């Protein structure tokens, strides 16, 4: 967490706001549950400062203390999250529409929310046979191209911890269920700049995805369609276009 970062404002109030939001972001990145000592270690802030900020966030409803004495992200964040997801969808749609216009297949944007991938925006293909992943759907990251694209930028130890929490259930014959193979695919995605889903979530569906750089949340965009239409030639066209569109979307989100 950017606790060591200097406050851009010159007042304690601004610094406290920055630190409070930094703690919420840190908890979101770590799966949504942490103890005080974990927060202090990860943030670099003194324990008394952590305790004061956490107590304020609990009073405001942004954190909740569990019987284990650890803290979890509170229900008040849901309202903020719903509003921000709607904003993301509005900003993303023109970029996704460009992908559909140029490639002909459905385009999606998804984000990592805790340990799950949630689809937050979509523009459907005009083909009669198309994908039916709907906005709001939640899936596990190990079986999706968007999940791989997002996790390719994560430290390997954090990805291993995520997989331990979620498991790697098999959905199709091609679902990756071994952490070592998943790590290999993440390395390939980091090297090439894009990730693939070869029918790992749904039979007969192929997907290519890239992460959105410098985004305020951990986002990825993708193009998906039936294997018969998602040919190697289309994937070769899609990957650089997805990177270009992701960069343009990132600029809009700044």
């Amino acid at each position: 967490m950017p606790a060591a970062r200097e406050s851009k404002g010159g007042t304690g109030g601004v610094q406290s706001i920055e630190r409070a939001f930094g703690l919420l972001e840190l908890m979101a990145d770590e799966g949504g549950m942490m103890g005080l000592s974990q927060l202090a270690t990860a943030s670099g802030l003194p324990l008394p400062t952590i305790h004061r900020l956490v107590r304020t966030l609990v009073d405001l409803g942004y954190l909740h203390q569990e019987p284990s004495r650890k803290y979890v992200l509170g229900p008040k964040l849901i309202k903020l999250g719903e509003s921000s997801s709607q904003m993301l969808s509005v900003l993303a749609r023109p970029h996704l529409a460009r992908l559909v216009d140029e490639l002909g297949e459905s385009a999606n944007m998804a984000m990592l929310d805790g340990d799950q991938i949630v689809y937050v925006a979509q523009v459907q293909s005009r083909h009669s046979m198309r994908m039916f992943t709907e906005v709001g759907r939640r899936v596990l990251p190990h079986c999706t191209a968007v999940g791989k694209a997002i996790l390719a930028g994560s430290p390997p130890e954090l990805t291993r911890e995520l997989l331990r929490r979620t498991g790697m259930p098999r959905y199709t014959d091609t679902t990756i269920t071994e952490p070592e193979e998943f790590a290999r695919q993440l390395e390939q995605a980091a090297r090439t700049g894009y990730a693939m889903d070869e029918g790992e979530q749904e039979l007969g569906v192929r997907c290519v995805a890239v992460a959105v750089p410098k985004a305020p949340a951990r986002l990825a965009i993708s193009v998906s369609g039936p294997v018969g239409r998602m040919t190697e030639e289309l994937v070769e066209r899609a990957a650089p276009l997805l990177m270009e569109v992701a960069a343009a979307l990132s600029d809009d989100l700044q």
Side-chain angles (χ1 to χ4, degrees):
M1 179 193 127
R5 177 179 66 188
E6 290 297 323
S7 173
K8 292 176 183 158
T11 69
V14 171
Q15 187 180 63
S16 293
I17 292 170
E18 288 183 347
R19 287 174 167 178
F21 276 102
L23 289 180
L24 293 174
E25 291 174 2
L26 176 61
M27 290 187 66
D29 289 342
E30 295 294 321
M33 177 184 288
M34 296 180 76
L36 288 177
S37 59
Q38 290 175 296
L39 284 167
T41 300
S43 69
L45 292 173
L47 194 57
T49 300
I50 294 288
H51 190 270
R52 174 175 54 81
L53 292 170
V54 165
R55 188 172 63 246
T56 299
L57 289 169
V58 168
D59 290 343
L60 293 172
Y62 294 112
L63 289 182
H64 172 73
Q65 189 173 31
E66 293 286 283
S68 66
R69 310 215 36 98
K70 288 190 175 184
Y71 292 88
V72 296
L73 297 175
K76 205 166 183 181
L77 287 169
I78 295 173
K79 183 177 180 180
L80 296 180
E82 289 173 347
S83 297
S84 64
S85 293
Q86 292 171 2
M87 180 204 71
L88 284 173
S89 179
V90 170
L91 290 172
R93 281 191 64 83
H95 298 280
L96 300 181
R98 178 186 170 193
L99 293 170
V100 175
D101 288 342
E102 296 196 28
L103 299 171
E105 299 299 337
S106 298
N108 298 284
M109 183 171 73
M111 66 183 291
L112 184 65
D113 182 22
D115 288 345
Q116 296 181 316
I117 293 294
V118 57
Y119 289 90
V120 294
Q122 181 183 80
V123 174
Q124 282 277 13
S125 165
R126 288 180 287 275
H127 290 292
S128 58
M129 184 181 191
R130 58 195 187 190
M131 300 305 97
F132 293 99
T133 293
E134 66 277 5
V135 171
R137 183 183 182 190
R138 290 177 174 270
V139 295
L140 295 181
H142 75 284
C143 55
T144 63
V146 284
K148 294 176 190 177
I150 290 171
L151 293 180
S154 295
E157 60 274 14
L158 293 184
T159 298
R160 287 194 295 270
E161 290 172 8
L162 183 152
L163 293 177
R164 279 197 291 269
R165 291 192 298 267
T166 64
M168 300 181 73
R170 181 182 297 279
Y171 297 103
T172 72
D173 289 343
T174 57
T175 303
I176 299 170
T177 58
E178 296 297 329
E180 295 78 12
E181 172 60 18
F182 190 68
R184 189 191 68 77
Q185 291 216 4
L186 293 189
E187 290 172 2
Q188 181 177 348
R191 186 170 61 252
T192 62
Y194 67 92
M196 296 291 302
D197 162 12
E198 301 285 2
E200 296 157 42
Q201 172 69 30
E202 296 181 50
L203 281 173
V205 176
R206 197 177 198 198
C207 182
V208 55
V210 305
V212 179
K214 301 177 183 177
R218 303 185 69 183
L219 301 172
I221 58 174
S222 67
V223 172
S224 59
V227 172
R229 293 202 307 258
M230 289 289 292
T231 62
E232 293 295 332
E233 185 272 336
L234 190 142
V235 170
E236 288 176 5
R237 287 171 48 214
L241 181 60
L242 278 162
M243 294 177 199
E244 180 183 334
V245 169
L249 174 57
S250 177
D251 289 341
D252 280 356
L253 294 175
Q254 299 307 309

